[in-house]
Amino acid sequence: MGFWTYAVRRLALMVLVIFGVTLITFLLTHVVPINPVLAYVGDHAPASVVAHMRQQLGLNAPLPVQYGIYIVNLLHGNLGISIANQLPVSYDLGLYLPATLELSSAAIVVAIVLGVVTGVLSAIFRDGWVDQVARILALSGVSLPVFFTALVLLGILYVHFGWLPGPGQLGPYTMPPPHITGMVVLDSLLSGDWPAFTDSLWHLVLPAFVLGWSSAGIIARMVRSSLLEVLGLDYIRTARAKGSPESRVILGHALRNALIPTITVIGLSYGSLLQGAVLTETIFAWPGIGRFATLSVTNVDVPAVLGVTLVAAVLYSVVNLIVDLLYAFLDPRISYV
Amino acid sequence: MAVSGLAIILFFIVLAVFAPLLTHWNPTATDLGIRLLPPSPKHWLGTDDLGMDVFSRIVFGARIDLESSLIVVLSAGTIGTLMGLFAGWLGGWWDEILMRITDMFLAFPSLILAMAISAILTPNLTNALIAISVTYWPIYARLARAQVLALRKLEFVEAARSIGLPQVGILFRHILPNAFTPLLVEGTLDMGSVLLIAAGLSFIGFGAQPPTPEWGLMIAQGQSFLMTQWWVSTVPAIAILLLVIGFNQLGDALRDMLDPRMRFRR
């Protein structure tokens, strides 16, 4: 099967999965022990108001019809109305999502850079002290609760030494840049607002590092093991035999092929990155969907929470689609049946 | 590696089992007269802001955290394995439908779906564990299915079928024992990741509720004193770190031992 046939099938699978995801979120709203009508109109509303609201929310229709309405609404970008502030959930998500995208993109960059560099170093200095230190760093990154790492680093680097700025995306005295994408670093760059750019970048360093470190370990282990495997292959022996310098053998010949299996790991770790973002955002007062979800769960705002859940699942699915396609594109040895 | 992992896990199991013998402090008894005391011979790991003994809470917390992970891994493992076994054995449409269902559940980041579920049910530890189980079973379903597909064509299975053994008997007596290794490795590694997710849910307030001595909740409780009374948050964090390292080490070691292909990679 060629690449394009595979790409179309993989895309179709993703559409099917997202369809299933909506089915799950839909069914979740129907096991809610809280009466959704009373959540909107209050506990003491007269019966006529309750009946009217029930009709308005479409709760009198049979379940399959309700699901149909839900899908049609979703396709129009309508994720329901928040119980807490009576605004469309899609509006709130539009406000909160860019901050999460900014944080998780920065974190994945940190994770890839840290992971690939330590992975390559531990493969070169296999079983030496560099490898041991890298192993410990990787293991503690994966095993430490990300919220504790965040608290400790914030306590030391901000509270104690004051080397890095505190929570939030910008300092209290920095004028926020004009709203273009909602991502503060990008917006300030696009509008040429230099002070806001440096300040927001500086604020991004710590949360991105905390979040990236937790995923870097898995990437480092994968780079190390696949690099060691590739280094044992014949073409590497040929490269060495013809006198290529070792740095060129590793960086030019071996790493390129060793990175291919790593791409899959990066895609899979995006899921743990998203859930790490929820925890990190609550500590860094980061106005992303994780913080929005936490607030919404506290307010028992079910439409808002399910909106976040849906968006996270779609985001994760799209990232893994890209990863799978990239993998198929980069590794011509693989044919898909 | 296996030995160190196992040693850490056994250490915490001993703490959990003998908790009442190891300390005479009640883990949930508050005494504002002794709040935020540093570690001392009387309070080995100090006290928290409500005057509860941290050592006693760690020891009794080992019960809660170990039990929580075990409940999730066992329930998700059982449900997932059953689904995977049947999908692989029945094949055809059954396989297609069951596997597409696992794809749907795999699309959710665990913590976020668990948050949604605990918002819908009320936030407490039981519901958090139900929620995490819902997000963990698909991995086992996939593993079990892959094993069945590999095993069902082997001679001993063919032989069992040809002498007319009942299908369910073949599945559980002949296929399951041979499919068990990857499931065991996954289960061991998941003990650690479930522990982190359960602690994370409790940290943001949607898991165990105060005054339960759950480690994630203890970290949350001490976060405002981290730079002054470090022991309140740091001790439970170290407990989580050690136990998760234990499960990761044991899981990796088991994989290396049981899957000879992997041994040469490291």
XYZ file of all heavy atoms in Angstrom, chain A residues 293-336:
330
model
N -10.614 23.668 33.153
C -11.239 22.400 33.526
C -11.330 22.268 35.040
O -12.364 21.867 35.574
C -10.446 21.229 32.948
N -10.240 22.638 35.741
C -10.248 22.537 37.199
C -11.353 23.403 37.791
O -12.112 22.959 38.657
C -8.890 22.991 37.759
O -7.869 22.544 36.885
C -8.652 22.419 39.131
N -11.450 24.646 37.301
C -12.507 25.546 37.766
C -13.881 24.949 37.477
O -14.782 24.988 38.332
C -12.400 26.898 37.037
C -11.356 27.877 37.551
C -11.295 29.091 36.634
C -11.744 28.299 38.971
N -14.037 24.393 36.271
C -15.338 23.875 35.860
C -15.744 22.657 36.680
O -16.912 22.495 37.003
C -15.332 23.507 34.381
O -14.907 24.605 33.626
N -14.758 21.797 37.009
C -15.094 20.637 37.839
C -15.547 21.121 39.208
O -16.527 20.626 39.768
C -13.903 19.668 37.979
C -14.258 18.523 38.913
C -13.504 19.111 36.634
N -14.857 22.127 39.751
C -15.236 22.671 41.050
C -16.660 23.225 41.009
O -17.427 23.080 41.955
C -14.256 23.783 41.463
O -12.938 23.324 41.197
C -14.385 24.110 42.930
N -17.031 23.871 39.887
C -18.379 24.440 39.760
C -19.413 23.434 39.287
O -20.547 23.801 39.017
C -18.365 25.596 38.745
C -17.535 26.749 39.248
O -17.426 26.954 40.443
N -16.928 27.480 38.320
N -19.005 22.139 39.153
C -19.874 21.106 38.581
C -20.485 21.597 37.263
O -21.669 21.410 36.986
C -20.974 20.651 39.559
C -21.443 19.253 39.196
C -20.474 20.632 40.972
N -19.660 22.259 36.456
C -20.103 22.780 35.172
C -19.847 21.705 34.112
O -18.833 21.708 33.412
C -19.310 24.060 34.866
C -19.871 24.815 33.689
O -20.660 24.224 32.928
O -19.507 25.988 33.529
N -20.785 20.750 34.014
C -20.556 19.565 33.178
C -20.331 19.904 31.696
O -19.393 19.383 31.094
C -21.692 18.535 33.374
C -21.536 17.370 32.419
C -21.697 18.043 34.801
N -21.138 20.785 31.075
C -20.860 21.087 29.661
C -19.444 21.621 29.433
O -18.783 21.243 28.458
C -21.893 22.167 29.321
C -22.955 22.030 30.329
C -22.322 21.494 31.566
N -18.962 22.466 30.347
C -17.619 23.025 30.193
C -16.560 21.934 30.315
O -15.626 21.867 29.513
C -17.386 24.109 31.237
N -16.698 21.048 31.316
C -15.708 19.986 31.507
C -15.680 19.058 30.296
O -14.615 18.671 29.802
C -16.020 19.166 32.779
C -14.990 18.072 32.958
C -16.038 20.054 33.990
N -16.872 18.720 29.795
C -16.907 17.821 28.640
C -16.366 18.503 27.396
O -15.775 17.853 26.538
C -18.324 17.307 28.415
C -18.750 16.296 29.477
C -20.201 15.912 29.297
C -17.880 15.049 29.429
N -16.530 19.822 27.322
C -15.932 20.567 26.214
C -14.418 20.431 26.239
O -13.795 20.134 25.209
N -13.836 20.620 27.415
C -12.383 20.471 27.549
C -11.961 19.053 27.186
O -10.991 18.837 26.450
C -11.923 20.802 28.993
C -10.443 20.507 29.155
C -12.222 22.244 29.335
N -12.715 18.059 27.703
C -12.381 16.661 27.449
C -12.376 16.371 25.951
O -11.460 15.731 25.423
C -13.416 15.752 28.138
O -13.627 16.243 29.457
C -12.932 14.336 28.202
N -13.413 16.870 25.279
C -13.531 16.654 23.840
C -12.361 17.297 23.096
O -11.739 16.675 22.228
C -14.861 17.245 23.369
C -15.373 16.841 22.009
C -15.632 15.347 21.991
C -16.659 17.586 21.686
N -12.059 18.543 23.455
C -10.977 19.259 22.781
C -9.642 18.547 23.018
O -8.846 18.373 22.094
C -10.913 20.722 23.264
C -9.608 21.371 22.833
C -12.081 21.498 22.680
N -9.413 18.080 24.248
C -8.156 17.386 24.548
C -8.048 16.110 23.728
O -6.983 15.802 23.172
C -8.082 17.064 26.039
N -9.154 15.362 23.626
C -9.129 14.108 22.867
C -8.871 14.379 21.390
O -8.092 13.668 20.742
C -10.442 13.347 23.053
N -9.509 15.422 20.850
C -9.316 15.750 19.434
C -7.864 16.177 19.190
O -7.207 15.735 18.246
C -10.301 16.845 18.985
C -9.952 17.354 17.600
C -11.723 16.308 18.995
N -7.351 17.004 20.095
C -5.972 17.491 19.976
C -4.979 16.327 19.972
O -4.082 16.244 19.127
C -5.692 18.399 21.177
C -4.691 19.530 21.021
C -5.162 20.482 19.949
C -4.558 20.282 22.339
N -5.190 15.409 20.922
C -4.320 14.243 21.058
C -4.414 13.366 19.805
O -3.396 12.889 19.282
C -4.732 13.479 22.316
C -3.864 12.314 22.701
C -2.500 12.349 22.532
C -4.428 11.179 23.270
C -1.710 11.273 22.905
C -3.652 10.104 23.650
C -2.296 10.154 23.461
O -1.528 9.080 23.827
N -5.634 13.181 19.290
C -5.814 12.366 18.090
C -5.129 12.994 16.891
O -4.497 12.292 16.088
C -7.301 12.192 17.768
O -7.968 11.619 18.840
N -5.244 14.316 16.758
C -4.638 14.999 15.615
C -3.111 14.882 15.688
O -2.456 14.577 14.687
C -5.084 16.475 15.554
C -4.262 17.237 14.527
C -6.556 16.562 15.209
N -2.547 15.079 16.891
C -1.094 14.963 17.040
C -0.633 13.559 16.647
O 0.348 13.385 15.922
C -0.658 15.299 18.484
C 0.794 14.901 18.715
C -0.840 16.770 18.754
N -1.389 12.533 17.082
C -0.978 11.177 16.743
C -1.179 10.847 15.274
O -0.435 10.042 14.713
C -1.673 10.165 17.648
C -0.921 10.021 18.958
O 0.246 9.671 18.967
N -1.576 10.362 20.056
N -2.166 11.496 14.647
C -2.327 11.342 13.194
C -1.086 11.884 12.491
O -0.492 11.218 11.636
C -3.572 12.094 12.723
C -3.739 12.208 11.203
C -4.223 10.888 10.629
C -4.695 13.320 10.820
N -0.676 13.092 12.874
C 0.498 13.711 12.259
C 1.723 12.827 12.456
O 2.492 12.568 11.524
C 0.736 15.121 12.865
C -0.440 16.030 12.521
C 2.037 15.719 12.351
C -0.419 17.359 13.242
N 1.872 12.313 13.693
C 3.021 11.468 13.999
C 3.032 10.202 13.147
O 4.049 9.827 12.562
C 3.013 11.123 15.504
C 3.859 9.909 15.778
C 3.496 12.302 16.309
N 1.868 9.556 13.044
C 1.795 8.322 12.258
C 2.113 8.587 10.791
O 2.794 7.791 10.141
C 0.402 7.700 12.389
C 0.249 6.932 13.689
O 1.245 6.868 14.440
O -0.836 6.402 13.951
N 1.609 9.710 10.273
C 1.862 10.026 8.867
C 3.340 10.335 8.648
O 3.950 9.899 7.672
C 0.996 11.207 8.420
C -0.507 10.927 8.366
C -1.259 12.136 7.847
C -0.804 9.713 7.502
N 3.906 11.078 9.583
C 5.323 11.431 9.494
C 6.178 10.169 9.507
O 7.137 10.021 8.746
C 5.675 12.312 10.697
C 6.842 13.274 10.559
C 6.548 14.262 9.453
C 7.061 14.013 11.868
N 5.788 9.240 10.376
C 6.510 7.980 10.524
C 6.460 7.188 9.226
O 7.476 6.682 8.750
C 5.856 7.190 11.662
C 6.575 5.938 12.048
C 7.764 6.008 12.752
C 6.060 4.694 11.740
C 8.426 4.855 13.123
C 6.713 3.539 12.105
C 7.901 3.624 12.788
O 8.557 2.483 13.159
N 5.260 7.106 8.645
C 5.101 6.359 7.397
C 5.881 7.030 6.275
O 6.465 6.371 5.415
C 3.627 6.281 7.031
N 5.908 8.361 6.301
C 6.589 9.123 5.264
C 8.102 8.939 5.363
O 8.797 8.807 4.361
C 6.212 10.597 5.423
C 6.742 11.466 4.333
C 6.222 11.401 3.054
C 7.779 12.353 4.585
C 6.709 12.194 2.042
C 8.283 13.151 3.574
C 7.746 13.071 2.302
N 8.605 8.915 6.616
C 10.048 8.863 6.821
C 10.637 7.470 6.678
O 11.802 7.319 6.358
C 10.397 9.413 8.210
C 10.201 10.911 8.397
C 10.491 11.296 9.825
C 11.101 11.678 7.448
N 9.845 6.447 6.962
C 10.388 5.095 6.933
C 9.790 4.304 5.785
O 8.732 3.700 5.912
C 10.111 4.385 8.262
C 11.005 3.171 8.424
O 11.506 2.678 7.391
O 11.194 2.724 9.553
N 10.457 4.322 4.635
C 9.887 3.665 3.455
C 9.871 2.142 3.570
O 9.228 1.482 2.773
C 10.808 4.133 2.319
C 12.082 4.476 2.994
C 11.759 4.915 4.376
N 10.564 1.595 4.595
C 10.588 0.142 4.720
C 9.231 -0.405 5.114
O 8.919 -1.564 4.918
C 11.594 -0.291 5.797
C 13.026 -0.207 5.362
C 13.918 -0.518 6.524
N 13.613 0.360 7.655
C 14.229 0.262 8.825
N 15.129 -0.655 9.036
N 13.935 1.091 9.796
N 8.420 0.479 5.769
C 7.174 -0.014 6.318
C 6.073 0.048 5.271
O 5.830 1.087 4.679
C 6.784 0.829 7.535
C 7.824 0.609 8.623
C 5.408 0.447 8.038
C 7.763 1.624 9.692
N 5.432 -1.092 5.021
C 4.250 -1.043 4.184
C 3.068 -1.430 5.066
O 3.197 -2.227 5.985
C 4.383 -2.004 3.012
O 4.386 -3.323 3.483
N 1.946 -0.772 4.827
C 0.813 -0.965 5.719
C -0.234 -1.838 5.072
O -0.598 -1.636 3.930
C 0.225 0.389 6.095
C 1.200 1.182 6.897
C 2.126 1.998 6.276
C 1.241 1.050 8.274
C 3.052 2.693 7.009
C 2.168 1.742 9.010
C 3.071 2.566 8.382
O 3.989 3.247 9.100
